[in-house]
Amino acid sequence: MRDMTPVNADRREIEMTDTIDQAESAEVLDRLVIRFAGDSGDGMQLTGDRFTSVSASFGNDLSTFPDFPAEIRAPAGTVNGVSSFQVQISDHDITTPGDEPTVLIAMNPAALKADLQRLEQGGTLIVNTDAFDERNLEKAEYASNPLDDGTVTGYRVLRVPMTSLTKDACEPHGVKPRDAERSKNFFALGLVSFMYSRPTEPTLEWISEKFAKNEQVVAANTAAFKAGFNFGETTEMVGQRYEVKPATLPSGEYTSITGNTALSWGLIAAGQLADLPVTLGSYPITPASDILHELSKHKNFGVRTVQAEDEIAAVGVALGASFAGHLGVTTTSGPGVALKSETISLAVSIELPMIIIDIQRGGPSTGLPTKTEASDLNLAIYGRHGEAPLPVVAAKSPADCFDAAIEAARIALKYRTPVILLSDGYIANGSEPWKLPDISTYEKITVPFATETNGTDSEGRDVFHPYLRDPETLARPWAIPGTPGLMHRVGGLEKQDVTGNVNYTPENHALMGDLRADKVAGVARDYEPTQIMGDEDADVCIVGWGSTWAAIDSAVQRCRRNDQKVAWVHIRNVFPLPNDLGDILRRYERVIVPELNRGQLCNMLRANYLVDAQPLSKVAGLPFSAREIQHIVTEGGQS
């Protein structure tokens, strides 16, 4: 097996003995939550990403929340067009991008209107005063200037004419004012880099490399960044400078990774562990498209990618690849899963390994394409015609996507079944530090292709029986087309047990349905015992799945620091559920299930285990805050 580290990974070495010089006279903070907000053309995602990358190289622990407009071309200057990026950096272990920012950079009135209510009371508000003209105020539907009418009372406000200062800085380089204005995000980045003691060299080097094909753009962005940094250094407005020290992390090689990238690398690793080529059939859809982009870079690992003409063709490519002996994968979001359902049912019927990746987003229909939600659980478990069970795995964080992808592949290959892997927009676009694993420590995934006949026909001739199952897993043999003597039939019509001939009899249909269900139920035998985190002797148990992990983790820590006992169970394998889960949940007086839907897992727990599980639902296009979960535990509030 080859080295699994993809080329050009943005990596860093963390050693326990590393020391980083403090900025002179900087006040030390244990954490910082900063939110960059502006028009979708203001480069806020780029700015936030650069602040994050520099903080990662500095050694901070971090978690990010990119928040995109739901419309591709929302009118400039309107609240619907606001693009934001929130990041929490800390000197200790964290899992969330923070409940609310301590610092908000608002590049225009619309950004202020969209995000001011998120800023903590007394927090720092940095505004680009040049954008607060009559036209932009009208677009944001402000009747008066919020900087002057008391709207921002209670915050520490830094009024900075970023646009004009950026133009002044770029003028000596021959940059036209209109072009210079596009660099104001680098002015903002330079300013906060000074305020929070971020090193400047990595950003300046990145600007030179990123825009190397256009010297004027390099000059403009460099000048704007330096101007912002120098503004912070020379003006008395900024006041105290701050620093967040590096976090203490286990020694090793790290990268800041997004969920979609980690998931892509996990698929590559699974292919290497199984010694199989990976074939992705995909149709671009937000927020899953980055997986197609990433996997297309790694042909050296035997990865094949096909951008199909639609969702149905994409899943057909994946299933065809599985039939041919590849690890077939298709990526999509909720609307695409609906379109793929018939072919997924076919994969259940012919019992071939395939991975369907659903990066969930706000629905129904087109819904909120760029906003997060986890409301496809029912779709994943039940969303096919007929009795068509399949395993469902849910990643919990950006870094966890790597292992979740390997887990999904292991189940699919061992049990010859399609598997749905759930992520969501929050995980997919968010990032965190990830210690690169030693892939040699991962167990190989054994794939025993059928190479010989396994039975005889009525006339005593050697034949291949495609549904002669493994007695332990109930998986049928996997025979690559063209293998001599192993000709067999696949298709959507019900097959006879063992022989695979078409069979319509009621008895055989019932038997095959039972076998498929028993096979999927048997996957649970492979699970590790369910882990109870927190206090096993608590009265309250929180049950989570998917991206609620981050907020639940933070909420549980807060409750326990306040001497309130709470237990927590987080489920990766959401179907079939763990065999020991029912006995665990019956121990607790209260079972609380936070979900980014209207109680889909909660209903399953109530139905399967007859426990009085209490839903905590949120369907707002936003992830949970830790405070929301802490409140229902502490106060006993209802969702």
Side-chain angles (χ1 to χ4, degrees):
M1 186 173 64
R2 287 172 281 182
D3 174 22
M4 260 307 304
T5 304
V7 294
N8 298 324
D10 178 18
R11 298 176 291 173
R12 59 190 172 95
E13 292 286 342
I14 299 292
E15 298 295 339
M16 297 292 289
T17 57
D18 277 358
T19 58
I20 296 184
D21 295 334
Q22 288 181 251
E24 293 184 10
S25 70
E27 180 180 334
V28 176
L29 305 174
D30 66 345
R31 68 181 186 93
L32 169 70
V33 182
I34 187 166
R35 188 176 182 91
F36 300 89
D39 196 72
S40 56
D42 284 340
M44 294 295 94
Q45 303 302 322
L46 178 65
T47 306
D49 182 69
R50 291 318 307 159
F51 188 87
T52 298
S53 295
V54 170
S55 298
S57 65
F58 190 78
N60 300 121
D61 197 7
L62 59 90
S63 178
T64 70
F65 175 40
D67 194 1
F68 304 95
E71 298 179 47
I72 295 175
R73 296 184 183 275
T78 64
V79 172
N80 287 340
V82 172
S83 178
S84 303
F85 188 105
Q86 184 166 312
V87 55
Q88 179 174 200
I89 62 173
S90 73
D91 64 3
H92 57 277
D93 183 46
I94 58 171
T95 56
T96 76
D99 282 0
E100 59 271 313
T102 51
V103 181
L104 172 64
I105 294 93
M107 301 299 287
N108 61 11
L112 182 69
K113 190 163 193 175
D115 286 343
L116 181 62
Q117 79 280 0
R118 302 176 189 268
L119 183 62
E120 69 174 13
Q121 283 299 311
T124 298
L125 172 63
I126 305 173
V127 295
N128 175 21
T129 54
D130 288 332
F132 283 72
D133 56 25
E134 184 176 347
R135 185 165 176 264
N136 281 327
L137 291 171
E138 183 179 347
K139 286 183 178 180
E141 299 182 357
Y142 274 119
S144 59
N145 192 330
L147 303 181
D148 303 324
D149 64 7
T151 299
V152 297
T153 301
Y155 303 101
R156 177 184 175 230
V157 183
L158 276 61
R159 304 181 182 218
V160 184
M162 298 185 198
T163 303
S164 55
L165 290 174
T166 300
K167 290 178 180 178
D168 291 343
C170 293
E171 185 178 6
H173 300 278
V175 182
K176 296 178 180 179
R178 186 180 183 86
D179 294 331
E181 185 176 351
R182 296 174 184 150
S183 297
K184 62 182 180 292
N185 60 322
F186 282 96
F187 184 99
L189 181 59
L191 176 56
V192 295
S193 294
F194 171 80
M195 293 175 64
Y196 298 102
S197 308
R198 302 292 89 184
T200 59
E201 291 80 6
T203 297
L204 293 172
E205 291 175 4
W206 180 87
I207 291 172
S208 296
E209 294 173 3
K210 175 70 174 179
F211 305 104
K213 294 181 180 179
N214 192 322
E215 293 183 4
Q216 196 169 63
V217 173
V218 172
N221 290 340
T222 300
F225 179 78
K226 290 181 177 179
F229 190 92
N230 293 335
F231 180 86
E233 191 171 32
T234 57
T235 182
E236 295 181 358
M237 179 191 304
V238 171
Q240 179 66 52
R241 197 177 186 190
Y242 300 92
E243 178 189 18
V244 180
K245 289 186 175 182
T248 301
L249 299 172
S251 297
E253 194 171 10
Y254 283 75
T255 184
S256 178
I257 200 165
T258 67
N260 276 350
T261 300
L263 202 155
S264 302
W265 293 1
L267 292 172
I268 297 170
Q272 296 295 296
L273 290 168
D275 198 23
L276 291 178
V278 175
T279 295
L280 172 70
S282 183
Y283 181 74
I285 185 173
T286 302
S289 300
D290 285 342
I291 301 171
L292 171 61
H293 302 159
E294 181 63 29
L295 285 177
S296 67
K297 303 174 185 176
H298 299 292
K299 297 180 178 64
N300 57 310
F301 288 114
V303 177
R304 296 155 170 85
T305 55
V306 179
Q307 180 174 320
E309 64 266 32
D310 56 37
E311 295 282 7
I312 298 172
V315 70
V317 167
L319 184 56
S322 294
F323 183 57
H326 293 206
L327 178 57
V329 183
T330 189
T331 53
T332 190
S333 190
V337 175
L339 291 167
K340 296 176 190 289
S341 62
E342 183 178 4
T343 304
I344 297 172
S345 289
L346 175 61
V348 172
S349 176
I350 62 179
E351 301 187 42
L352 282 174
M354 182 172 67
I355 300 175
I356 303 98
I357 296 171
D358 177 4
I359 312 296
Q360 300 165 95
R361 70 189 204 187
S365 188
T366 306
L368 306 173
T370 63
K371 307 299 182 181
T372 197
E373 202 165 286
S375 54
D376 292 350
L377 183 61
N378 284 344
L379 175 66
I381 296 174
Y382 307 115
R384 289 162 298 284
H385 57 284
E387 294 290 338
L390 54 73
V392 180
V393 177
K396 68 181 183 182
S397 70
D400 183 60
C401 286
F402 181 84
D403 287 319
I406 294 175
E407 167 77 351
R410 183 194 64 79
I411 293 172
L413 293 168
K414 179 177 180 179
Y415 290 91
R416 313 288 193 273
T417 177
V419 176
I420 291 182
L421 174 55
L422 296 175
S423 176
D424 62 36
Y426 176 42
I427 294 175
N429 296 315
S431 61
E432 62 182 347
W434 178 52
K435 183 181 177 182
L436 294 176
D438 180 357
I439 200 68
S440 67
T441 64
Y442 283 68
E443 186 177 352
K444 292 281 287 184
I445 302 173
T446 304
V447 183
F449 287 113
T451 57
E452 298 178 352
T453 57
N454 58 5
T456 57
D457 62 14
S458 59
E459 298 180 9
R461 293 173 298 192
D462 289 338
V463 295
F464 176 63
H465 288 152
Y467 286 92
L468 183 63
R469 300 175 183 276
D470 180 281
E472 179 182 351
T473 65
L474 297 181
R476 78 170 184 87
W478 190 7
I480 298 177
T483 304
L486 303 191
M487 182 182 297
H488 61 286
R489 175 185 294 165
V490 296
L493 294 175
E494 185 64 280
K495 300 300 183 292
Q496 183 175 326
D497 183 35
V498 181
T499 68
N501 297 327
V502 174
N503 188 307
Y504 297 131
T505 64
E507 295 79 12
N508 181 75
H509 179 56
L511 173 63
M512 292 297 280
D514 289 344
L515 287 170
R516 288 188 289 261
D518 290 346
K519 179 178 71 170
V520 172
V523 172
R525 294 194 298 267
D526 290 350
Y527 303 167
E528 296 291 333
T530 299
Q531 182 181 4
I532 304 172
M533 294 163 281
D535 306 289
E536 290 195 37
D537 60 343
D539 294 330
V540 179
C541 180
I542 301 174
V543 181
W545 71 276
S547 65
T548 57
W549 177 81
I552 295 173
D553 179 77
S554 183
V556 167
Q557 291 184 46
R558 292 182 186 185
C559 289
R560 299 184 75 204
R561 284 196 297 267
N562 293 336
D563 296 323
Q564 181 173 13
K565 289 187 176 182
V566 58
W568 169 30
V569 171
H570 206 83
I571 304 172
R572 170 184 278 174
N573 299 91
V574 289
F575 193 83
L577 289 167
N579 290 333
D580 59 358
L581 183 60
D583 291 337
I584 290 172
L585 298 186
R586 293 186 190 101
R587 302 177 195 172
Y588 299 97
E589 293 181 12
R590 293 177 65 206
V591 176
I592 301 169
V593 189
E595 297 185 77
L596 295 177
N597 59 52
R598 298 200 178 277
Q600 295 179 18
L601 177 64
C602 186
N603 289 338
M604 286 177 56
L605 299 181
R606 293 172 68 93
N608 282 287
Y609 307 124
L610 302 180
V611 295
D612 188 18
Q614 176 184 356
L616 175 58
S617 297
K618 185 172 184 177
V619 187
L622 296 169
F624 277 107
S625 69
R627 182 176 292 104
E628 289 170 318
I629 297 173
Q630 181 187 11
H631 171 74
I632 196 171
V633 173
T634 303
E635 306 298 330
Q638 297 293 318
S639 61

Coordinates of all heavy atoms in Angstrom, one line a residue, residues 323 346 350 352 466-467 476 488-493 495 500:
F323 N -20.3 -3.3 -9.9 CA -20.5 -4.6 -10.6 C -19.2 -5.1 -11.3 O -18.9 -6.3 -11.3 CB -21.5 -4.4 -11.7 CG -21.9 -5.6 -12.5 CD1 -22.3 -6.8 -11.8 CD2 -21.8 -5.6 -13.9 CE1 -22.6 -7.9 -12.5 CE2 -22.1 -6.8 -14.6 CZ -22.5 -7.9 -13.9
L346 N -32.0 -0.8 -6.6 CA -31.4 -1.9 -7.4 C -30.2 -2.4 -6.8 O -29.9 -3.7 -6.8 CB -31.1 -1.3 -8.8 CG -30.4 -2.3 -9.8 CD1 -31.2 -3.5 -10.1 CD2 -30.1 -1.5 -11.1
I350 N -29.5 -6.4 -5.9 CA -28.5 -7.2 -6.5 C -27.3 -7.4 -5.5 O -26.4 -8.1 -5.8 CB -28.0 -6.7 -7.9 CG1 -27.4 -5.3 -7.8 CG2 -29.1 -6.7 -8.8 CD1 -26.9 -4.8 -9.1
L352 N -24.7 -5.4 -4.1 CA -23.4 -5.0 -4.4 C -22.9 -3.9 -3.5 O -23.7 -3.1 -3.1 CB -23.3 -4.6 -5.9 CG -23.3 -5.7 -7.0 CD1 -23.3 -5.0 -8.3 CD2 -22.1 -6.6 -6.8
P466 N -25.0 -17.2 -7.6 CA -24.6 -15.8 -7.1 C -25.2 -15.5 -5.7 O -24.8 -14.5 -5.1 CB -25.2 -14.9 -8.2 CG -26.3 -15.7 -8.8 CD -25.8 -17.2 -8.8
Y467 N -26.2 -16.3 -5.2 CA -26.8 -16.0 -3.9 C -26.6 -17.1 -2.9 O -27.4 -17.2 -2.0 CB -28.3 -15.7 -4.1 CG -28.6 -14.3 -4.7 CD1 -28.7 -14.2 -6.1 CD2 -28.6 -13.2 -4.0 CE1 -28.9 -13.0 -6.7 CE2 -28.8 -11.9 -4.5 CZ -29.0 -11.8 -5.9 OH -29.2 -10.6 -6.5
R476 N -23.5 -12.2 -0.3 CA -23.4 -13.1 -1.5 C -22.0 -13.0 -2.1 O -21.3 -12.0 -1.9 CB -24.5 -12.8 -2.5 CG -24.2 -11.6 -3.4 CD -25.3 -11.5 -4.5 NE -25.1 -10.4 -5.4 CZ -24.3 -10.5 -6.5 NH1 -23.6 -11.6 -6.7 NH2 -24.2 -9.5 -7.3
H488 N -23.5 -15.0 -14.5 CA -24.7 -15.0 -13.6 C -25.5 -13.8 -14.0 O -25.1 -12.9 -14.7 CB -24.2 -14.9 -12.1 CG -23.4 -13.7 -11.8 ND1 -22.1 -13.5 -12.1 CD2 -23.8 -12.6 -11.1 CE1 -21.7 -12.4 -11.7 NE2 -22.6 -11.8 -11.1
R489 N -26.7 -13.8 -13.5 CA -27.7 -12.8 -13.8 C -27.9 -11.8 -12.6 O -28.0 -12.2 -11.5 CB -29.0 -13.4 -14.1 CG -30.2 -12.5 -14.4 CD -31.5 -13.2 -14.6 NE -31.4 -14.0 -15.8 CZ -32.2 -15.0 -16.1 NH1 -33.2 -15.4 -15.3 NH2 -32.1 -15.7 -17.3
V490 N -27.9 -10.5 -12.9 CA -28.3 -9.5 -11.9 C -29.4 -8.6 -12.5 O -29.6 -8.6 -13.7 CB -27.1 -8.6 -11.5 CG1 -26.0 -9.4 -10.8 CG2 -26.6 -7.8 -12.7
G491 N -30.2 -8.0 -11.7 CA -31.2 -7.1 -12.1 C -32.2 -6.9 -11.0 O -32.1 -7.4 -9.9
G492 N -33.3 -6.1 -11.3 CA -34.2 -5.7 -10.3 C -35.3 -6.7 -10.0 O -36.0 -6.6 -9.0
L493 N -35.5 -7.7 -10.9 CA -36.6 -8.7 -10.6 C -36.1 -9.6 -9.4 O -34.9 -9.8 -9.3 CB -36.8 -9.5 -11.8 CG -37.5 -8.8 -13.0 CD1 -37.6 -9.8 -14.2 CD2 -38.8 -8.3 -12.6
K495 N -34.9 -12.4 -7.2 CA -34.1 -13.5 -7.5 C -34.4 -14.7 -6.5 O -34.7 -14.5 -5.4 CB -32.6 -13.2 -7.4 CG -32.2 -12.1 -8.4 CD -32.4 -12.4 -9.8 CE -32.0 -11.4 -10.8 NZ -32.8 -10.1 -10.6
G500 N -30.1 -17.5 -8.0 CA -30.2 -16.2 -8.6 C -31.1 -16.2 -9.8 O -31.2 -15.2 -10.5

